[in-house]
Amino acid sequence: MYPLIFFIILSISNLHFSKSQLQKPKVLSSFSISNSSWTPTENQILLSPNSTFAAGFLPLPSSPNLYTFSVWYYGITENNATIVWTANYDSPVNSSASLIIKPTGELSLSTLSGKNLWPSRPVSRRNTTALILQESGNLVFGDWASFDYPTTTILPNQNITNAKRVLSSMNGKFKFNESKELVYNGDPDYYWTADNAFLKVDDQGRISKENFQSFISSDLGDQKLRRLTLDEDGNLRLYSYDSSLDQWATVWQAVFNLCQIKGTCGANAICMYETSDSSTSCVCPPGFKKSSHDSCERKIPLTDLKNSNFFRLEYVNFTGAANSSSIQDLTLSDCQAKCLAEDNCQGFQFKYDGKNDCILLMERLDYGLWSPGTETVMFLRVDSSETDENPEFTGMTTLMETACPVTIKLPLPPEESRATTRNIVIITTIFAAELISGIFFFWAFLKKYTKYRDMAWTFGLEVMPAGSLKKFSYAELKDATKNFSDVIGKGGFGTVYKGVLGDGRVVAVKALKNVAGGDADFWAEVNIIARMHHLNLVRLWGFCTEKNRRLLVYEHVPNGSLDKFIFQRDLVNLDLDESPQELADRKPVLDWNIRYRIALGVARAIAYLHEECLEWVLHCDIKPENILLGDDFCPKVSDFGLAKLKKKEDIVTKSRFRGTPGYLAPEWLRPEPITSKSDVYSFGLVLLEIVAGKRNFDQQNSEVDSHEWYFPSWAFDKVFKEMNVDDILDPIIKHSYDSTAHFDMVNRIVKTAMWCLQDRAENRPTMGKVAKMLEGTVEIIEPKRPTIFFIRDEDDKSINVAVSMTQTQPIDTLSK
Ligand SMILES: *[C@@H]1O[C@H](CO)[C@@H](O)[C@H](O)[C@H]1NC(C)=O
Ligand SMILES: *[C@@H]1O[C@H](CO)[C@@H](O)[C@H](O)[C@H]1NC(C)=O
Ligand SMILES: *[C@@H]1O[C@H](CO)[C@@H](O)[C@H](O)[C@H]1NC(C)=O
Ligand SMILES: *[C@@H]1O[C@H](CO)[C@@H](O)[C@H](O)[C@H]1NC(C)=O
Ligand SMILES: *[C@@H]1O[C@H](CO)[C@@H](O)[C@H](O)[C@H]1NC(C)=O
Ligand SMILES: *[C@@H]1O[C@H](CO)[C@@H](O)[C@H](O)[C@H]1NC(C)=O
Ligand SMILES: *[C@@H]1O[C@H](CO)[C@@H](O)[C@H](O)[C@H]1NC(C)=O
Ligand SMILES: *[C@@H]1O[C@H](CO)[C@@H](O)[C@H](O)[C@H]1NC(C)=O
Ligand SMILES: *[C@@H]1O[C@H](CO)[C@@H](O)[C@H](O)[C@H]1NC(C)=O
């Protein structure tokens, strides 16, 4: 049976209506007993009253002589029919089959040999003898209805609880058990659960579940053609039809990291998820080689069982090891000894959480994935002679170095006047301190990561459990902010106040101005913003909408914004007469490692906004003021998603000036669309500023007296032509630039920045790629020199615009 199913799978998305396109099909409004039998080659279809759906025989594209009797969305995606239901999906028929209503009133899809393929049990109704297709897409014959026997797809307003068949993927591998759990090939554990069973989907984009819960689509509220389909990759997705593109767009999906879907990779392989294009790949762990395109086998079989080695893999979780057992309170060496004592132990996972969970993985390693949320370290058992020097899998090392770590106390910068040897001592101390605190706080870090893991996994568009996004009353916020007295920032979107909630949480309350739409729109937008969880995004905790007031309540990020740290120019010449207040206001200087982590964190957050949030969220205002630093200098991007809240006319008339002067991509000044690549450009400038410690437009005004001067091109020449990196480095920490330790890091940042700053949007990488470039997981080829954009190729007016814009000082920050 399986080969046949596969057959269909390969082709189902790709049906061609070669015949029906040549000749208009005969249209039936019902198929009744008085009509003769309906054969696959007969060019006729059954239409729903308003022609939204059609039913009839469709040839398999891979095998045009075989047919299925299906229901599809009529008149859209015409050379690739969107099939929503199939009668004989597991047994396509040839042209000799026919659909008949027997004189007894029984409906049957029969082959020549008289075998009945559908319905599986005879359906006979003497008083209702016509097969009809309702406007909802429900194919009905008497009391038989296709809505009761879903195949891969649920349509709007289809009653899911009525279903007498489990929703399955076309390849038969995945099932939506009990309308709430996604399971793989009968594996006893689900890989995703909705917690409460689905009840129905509506045409506005809401998926209702039991207990009054729901999921909502990213385009909630628009009445569109929609479908909820269990795709062949095992993901459950809600699609809505975009008539302008004649395409289906995903507006909700169950699983975000496709590697969490069991069976994505085979035995022993580690699934790696590529966020930039939502693709997955299967790589072999060290000591293993490919045995098929998605599975791996040992290079050296485990023979000398008493003398195995163990490879340590971080962030790797084999979620389906056979017969795995968990033991608590063992030391690492006891755990290892337990594994060695079992002949079929393939490795173990060890959790350094105080309880010292030791999980032995027996017999085989299934459903491996790389995920930063993994709480244990994997120790893979290999033969003692195994020394895999070039493993295919290299994904585990980068995160530890770069993820937001540990609390680091930064000393004040060494003073220029002191001897360099002294500086070296201090700098070495900083590094040693980082190392030690790194080890010391490793568990704290893991714990923290666990928390974010959960967030990361649930960052879908699920309505958050009651209580997590709080609706505040205006009085409550007035109270919390002491009558809006403590202003900590002002910006394009409104004023920000510091406050303390009743439960003691410190918050930043942003009072928005010029917000479009009514309460419902605001609520929908806020809900979407609140669902964007990322370690490097400021969390939205609540909101308030009363009368015309619109307030957002964010977590308070204590250290303020990045600009306060990197643009402290007077620090170069320490003034010994500084007042105590000035000294107290002074921010610690960020070293190269921390700057690098900030760059990477911001890149990941924006990549997440662009690529993982279903709806593309353009930030449109990336600048150091909108990058806040937590108490561990973990960067958190603020003001994301707000561009969408602005009034429509604002967007139309002012959109080209909405970003902050100095960070705008060239296309803001050209009649070109603003895309995610515009954010990439702004980010490129921020990268250069992080390295140089000064503002792009400050330098233009002060250091070089020429309109022709353009920071990115200048920096490019310094780094790539004159090979003189030193000239662009932040003077405050220039002396701590150790070319062996930092060259690679700074070089990566600068090269990446150059790619981000390419004049043409299409030449810039996507944000996901940018994050990878910074991580060092992709090779960065030499960038082209960024060219100046607003001087030569624009008319005078735009020169003026560009120049005058650089003079406004931007102020938009959540905290001081
Ligand atoms: C057919 O449509 C499906 C989704 O509806 C899409 O995934 C697939 O790529 C399309 N195939 C072609 C050949 O356009
Ligand atoms: C099928 O039968 C119905 C009702 O008996 C009739 O109205 C319709 O025209 C017939 N269609 C065809 C194609 O014979
Ligand atoms: C069919 O379309 C008409 C007009 O567009 C509409 O009034 C009617 O409600 C629709 N019928 C169904 C069953 O949707
Ligand atoms: C259709 O398939 C049947 C067997 O199921 C076979 O006997 C018959 O010859 C086939 N007809 C055609 C036209 O291929
Ligand atoms: C159809 O027939 C059944 C019995 O065969 C009867 O109970 C039912 O009322 C009939 N329905 C209609 C609409 O006539
Ligand atoms: C769906 O079907 C179930 C069982 O037949 C029924 O109890 C429920 O009321 C139906 N729900 C809707 C929305 O029609
Ligand atoms: C489906 O869910 C039921 C109830 O939760 C459970 O008993 C059953 O084992 C599940 N089936 C599969 C294949 O997971
Ligand atoms: C599970 O492991 C134990 C001990 O290693 C073994 O005796 C048992 O047969 C295993 N069970 C299965 C189902 O593999
Ligand atoms: C591994 O993945 C499984 C399934 O997602 C999860 O239950 C388990 O907690 C994960 N283990 C670790 C150590 O993160």
Side-chain angles (χ1 to χ4, degrees), residues 401-413:
E401 298 163 12
T402 57
C404 281
V406 299
T407 306
I408 299 166
K409 289 269 176 293
L410 292 172
L412 273 175

PDB file of all heavy atoms in Angstrom, residues 401-413:
ATOM      1  N   GLU A 401      29.910  30.190  23.192  1.00  0.00           N
ATOM      2  CA  GLU A 401      30.739  31.392  23.189  1.00  0.00           C
ATOM      3  C   GLU A 401      29.919  32.650  23.006  1.00  0.00           C
ATOM      4  O   GLU A 401      30.294  33.706  23.451  1.00  0.00           O
ATOM      5  CB  GLU A 401      31.711  31.366  22.006  1.00  0.00           C
ATOM      6  CG  GLU A 401      32.678  30.232  22.012  1.00  0.00           C
ATOM      7  CD  GLU A 401      33.272  30.067  20.633  1.00  0.00           C
ATOM      8  OE1 GLU A 401      33.086  30.961  19.781  1.00  0.00           O
ATOM      9  OE2 GLU A 401      33.911  29.039  20.403  1.00  0.00           O
ATOM     10  N   THR A 402      28.822  32.500  22.303  1.00  0.00           N
ATOM     11  CA  THR A 402      28.203  33.718  21.822  1.00  0.00           C
ATOM     12  C   THR A 402      26.866  34.039  22.456  1.00  0.00           C
ATOM     13  O   THR A 402      26.457  35.177  22.451  1.00  0.00           O
ATOM     14  CB  THR A 402      27.968  33.597  20.315  1.00  0.00           C
ATOM     15  OG1 THR A 402      27.177  32.436  20.113  1.00  0.00           O
ATOM     16  CG2 THR A 402      29.252  33.491  19.571  1.00  0.00           C
ATOM     17  N   ALA A 403      26.219  33.059  23.013  1.00  0.00           N
ATOM     18  CA  ALA A 403      24.892  33.346  23.550  1.00  0.00           C
ATOM     19  C   ALA A 403      25.042  34.270  24.743  1.00  0.00           C
ATOM     20  O   ALA A 403      26.090  34.370  25.334  1.00  0.00           O
ATOM     21  CB  ALA A 403      24.240  32.055  23.984  1.00  0.00           C
ATOM     22  N   CYS A 404      23.952  34.931  25.073  1.00  0.00           N
ATOM     23  CA  CYS A 404      24.015  35.838  26.197  1.00  0.00           C
ATOM     24  C   CYS A 404      24.370  35.063  27.420  1.00  0.00           C
ATOM     25  O   CYS A 404      23.733  34.100  27.753  1.00  0.00           O
ATOM     26  CB  CYS A 404      22.681  36.459  26.427  1.00  0.00           C
ATOM     27  SG  CYS A 404      22.476  37.723  25.286  1.00  0.00           S
ATOM     28  N   PRO A 405      25.366  35.439  28.103  1.00  0.00           N
ATOM     29  CA  PRO A 405      25.887  34.587  29.133  1.00  0.00           C
ATOM     30  C   PRO A 405      25.445  35.074  30.497  1.00  0.00           C
ATOM     31  O   PRO A 405      24.350  35.475  30.691  1.00  0.00           O
ATOM     32  CB  PRO A 405      27.372  34.766  28.944  1.00  0.00           C
ATOM     33  CG  PRO A 405      27.507  36.145  28.392  1.00  0.00           C
ATOM     34  CD  PRO A 405      26.198  36.611  27.927  1.00  0.00           C
ATOM     35  N   VAL A 406      25.996  35.182  31.321  1.00  0.00           N
ATOM     36  CA  VAL A 406      26.487  35.247  32.643  1.00  0.00           C
ATOM     37  C   VAL A 406      26.674  36.702  33.024  1.00  0.00           C
ATOM     38  O   VAL A 406      26.856  37.563  32.187  1.00  0.00           O
ATOM     39  CB  VAL A 406      27.846  34.535  32.685  1.00  0.00           C
ATOM     40  CG1 VAL A 406      27.645  33.135  32.303  1.00  0.00           C
ATOM     41  CG2 VAL A 406      28.853  35.192  31.823  1.00  0.00           C
ATOM     42  N   THR A 407      26.601  36.919  34.270  1.00  0.00           N
ATOM     43  CA  THR A 407      26.781  38.278  34.761  1.00  0.00           C
ATOM     44  C   THR A 407      28.263  38.612  34.744  1.00  0.00           C
ATOM     45  O   THR A 407      29.064  37.919  35.342  1.00  0.00           O
ATOM     46  CB  THR A 407      26.267  38.374  36.195  1.00  0.00           C
ATOM     47  OG1 THR A 407      24.939  37.883  36.168  1.00  0.00           O
ATOM     48  CG2 THR A 407      26.278  39.784  36.698  1.00  0.00           C
ATOM     49  N   ILE A 408      28.571  39.663  34.055  1.00  0.00           N
ATOM     50  CA  ILE A 408      29.973  40.054  33.989  1.00  0.00           C
ATOM     51  C   ILE A 408      30.067  41.468  34.542  1.00  0.00           C
ATOM     52  O   ILE A 408      29.321  42.347  34.128  1.00  0.00           O
ATOM     53  CB  ILE A 408      30.474  40.053  32.539  1.00  0.00           C
ATOM     54  CG1 ILE A 408      30.356  38.658  31.970  1.00  0.00           C
ATOM     55  CG2 ILE A 408      31.902  40.555  32.482  1.00  0.00           C
ATOM     56  CD1 ILE A 408      30.496  38.628  30.482  1.00  0.00           C
ATOM     57  N   LYS A 409      30.946  41.635  35.496  1.00  0.00           N
ATOM     58  CA  LYS A 409      31.158  42.991  36.016  1.00  0.00           C
ATOM     59  C   LYS A 409      32.252  43.620  35.181  1.00  0.00           C
ATOM     60  O   LYS A 409      33.343  43.085  35.055  1.00  0.00           O
ATOM     61  CB  LYS A 409      31.609  42.926  37.473  1.00  0.00           C
ATOM     62  CG  LYS A 409      30.498  42.487  38.407  1.00  0.00           C
ATOM     63  CD  LYS A 409      29.731  43.681  38.937  1.00  0.00           C
ATOM     64  CE  LYS A 409      28.554  43.243  39.794  1.00  0.00           C
ATOM     65  NZ  LYS A 409      27.510  42.559  39.022  1.00  0.00           N
ATOM     66  N   LEU A 410      31.927  44.753  34.608  1.00  0.00           N
ATOM     67  CA  LEU A 410      32.936  45.378  33.758  1.00  0.00           C
ATOM     68  C   LEU A 410      33.679  46.442  34.540  1.00  0.00           C
ATOM     69  O   LEU A 410      33.065  47.293  35.157  1.00  0.00           O
ATOM     70  CB  LEU A 410      32.259  46.024  32.560  1.00  0.00           C
ATOM     71  CG  LEU A 410      31.648  45.034  31.599  1.00  0.00           C
ATOM     72  CD1 LEU A 410      30.839  45.771  30.572  1.00  0.00           C
ATOM     73  CD2 LEU A 410      32.717  44.210  30.939  1.00  0.00           C
ATOM     74  N   PRO A 411      34.979  46.395  34.509  1.00  0.00           N
ATOM     75  CA  PRO A 411      35.733  47.457  35.180  1.00  0.00           C
ATOM     76  C   PRO A 411      35.681  48.724  34.348  1.00  0.00           C
ATOM     77  O   PRO A 411      35.326  48.687  33.178  1.00  0.00           O
ATOM     78  CB  PRO A 411      37.148  46.890  35.221  1.00  0.00           C
ATOM     79  CG  PRO A 411      37.214  45.955  34.064  1.00  0.00           C
ATOM     80  CD  PRO A 411      35.830  45.449  33.817  1.00  0.00           C
ATOM     81  N   LEU A 412      36.011  49.820  34.960  1.00  0.00           N
ATOM     82  CA  LEU A 412      36.109  51.057  34.191  1.00  0.00           C
ATOM     83  C   LEU A 412      37.244  50.919  33.189  1.00  0.00           C
ATOM     84  O   LEU A 412      38.144  50.114  33.387  1.00  0.00           O
ATOM     85  CB  LEU A 412      36.383  52.219  35.133  1.00  0.00           C
ATOM     86  CG  LEU A 412      35.117  52.829  35.720  1.00  0.00           C
ATOM     87  CD1 LEU A 412      35.478  53.891  36.730  1.00  0.00           C
ATOM     88  CD2 LEU A 412      34.248  53.437  34.622  1.00  0.00           C
ATOM     89  N   PRO A 413      37.197  51.700  32.157  1.00  0.00           N
ATOM     90  CA  PRO A 413      38.228  51.543  31.135  1.00  0.00           C
ATOM     91  C   PRO A 413      39.583  51.952  31.686  1.00  0.00           C
ATOM     92  O   PRO A 413      39.681  52.856  32.500  1.00  0.00           O
ATOM     93  CB  PRO A 413      37.796  52.517  30.050  1.00  0.00           C
ATOM     94  CG  PRO A 413      36.979  53.516  30.768  1.00  0.00           C
ATOM     95  CD  PRO A 413      36.284  52.781  31.842  1.00  0.00           C
TER      96      PRO A 413
END
